[in-house]
Amino acid sequence: MKVVVNLKAYPCDPVEVATAARDVSEASGVPIAVAPQAAHLERVAETGVETWAQHVSPVEHGSHTGSTLAEAAAEAGATGTMLNHSERRLKLADIDAALSAAERVGLETCVCANNPDQIGAVAGLGPDAVAVEPPELIGTGTPVSKADPDVVTDAVEAAADADDSVAVYCGAGISTGEDLTAARELGAEGVLLASGVAKADDPTAALEDLIAPLE
């Protein structure tokens, strides 16, 4: 199981969370990536943790003010990127172009989607992974694996039908080891989470609790 911690724009210390993730990952052998704000990518990467961008833009070098260029993210130390998070939606054509941008620089990719039908559509574009995240559950502390487990199993099936090499992650409301275990039992190969770690008083303890069932 892979764990991707999205720091969003929360007022946390990205280096503190990254250091905690690095230490817990090294001690447990569980792969943990941290996705900070673009301006913090280099600082986070310098900790040695696996570092992801929260987004890369569907553009090449040129007149694209305000864009997050895949080349810039990779140069800052990112090795992966999320795309199409529910807070940063893209059209399908732009997802395809953003995947091409990530591929140019060798970034691992995970495309988020709301439901199994969307999962099937984006899995067909050939990302490394897709993540099913019903937006109404994001930040609630209620994981989709509990609220509607069929969404996860149907997403796994939809991704396999489109491209069985694409991994399926589970997001929205993930915060505990029980949530991670439930996601794995439903067929997910990883989880995305944010507030459960980014807002935690003790990020190390939060991550240790999360991955405890995997040890």
Side-chain angles (χ1 to χ4, degrees):
M1 291 288 282
K2 182 164 190 141
V3 176
V4 180
V5 181
N6 178 13
L7 301 187
K8 300 192 177 185
Y10 289 136
C12 60
D13 181 341
V15 173
E16 179 187 8
V17 177
T19 301
R22 177 202 65 198
D23 292 348
V24 172
S25 181
E26 289 178 351
S28 65
V30 176
I32 303 175
V34 175
Q37 286 282 297
H40 299 152
L41 281 169
E42 187 168 0
R43 291 172 58 205
V44 166
E46 285 174 350
T47 68
V49 77
E50 182 178 345
T51 303
W52 280 37
Q54 294 181 8
H55 166 81
V56 296
S57 301
V59 299
E60 300 180 358
H61 287 282
S63 303
H64 305 294
T65 301
S67 298
T68 300
L69 192 65
E71 284 80 358
E75 184 177 349
T79 59
T81 185
M82 299 184 299
L83 293 169
N84 198 47
H85 190 276
S86 64
E87 295 157 3
R88 190 67 170 83
R89 282 288 179 224
L90 297 171
K91 297 177 181 178
L92 194 64
D94 287 337
I95 295 172
D96 195 21
L99 285 168
S100 295
E103 185 178 354
R104 285 199 309 265
V105 293
L107 295 178
E108 185 176 346
T109 52
C110 178
V111 179
C112 301
N114 289 351
N115 56 56
D117 287 341
Q118 290 184 15
I119 286 288
V122 297
L125 299 176
D128 294 297
V130 291
V132 59
E133 286 196 310
E136 65 272 15
L137 296 177
I138 292 176
T140 65
T142 301
V144 62
S145 55
K146 287 183 180 178
D148 193 350
D150 287 346
V151 169
V152 182
T153 54
D154 289 350
V156 170
E157 182 177 345
D161 287 345
D163 184 341
D164 61 9
S165 70
V166 176
V168 177
Y169 297 169
C170 185
I174 302 290
S175 61
T176 69
E178 182 183 356
D179 300 338
L180 188 150
T181 299
R184 179 176 59 179
E185 290 175 348
L186 293 168
E189 298 178 49
V191 293
L192 301 186
L193 72 157
S195 57
V197 173
K199 290 185 174 182
D201 292 333
D202 186 341
T204 298
L207 284 165
E208 287 175 340
D209 174 69
L210 179 75
I211 59 92
L214 301 180
E215 295 187 282

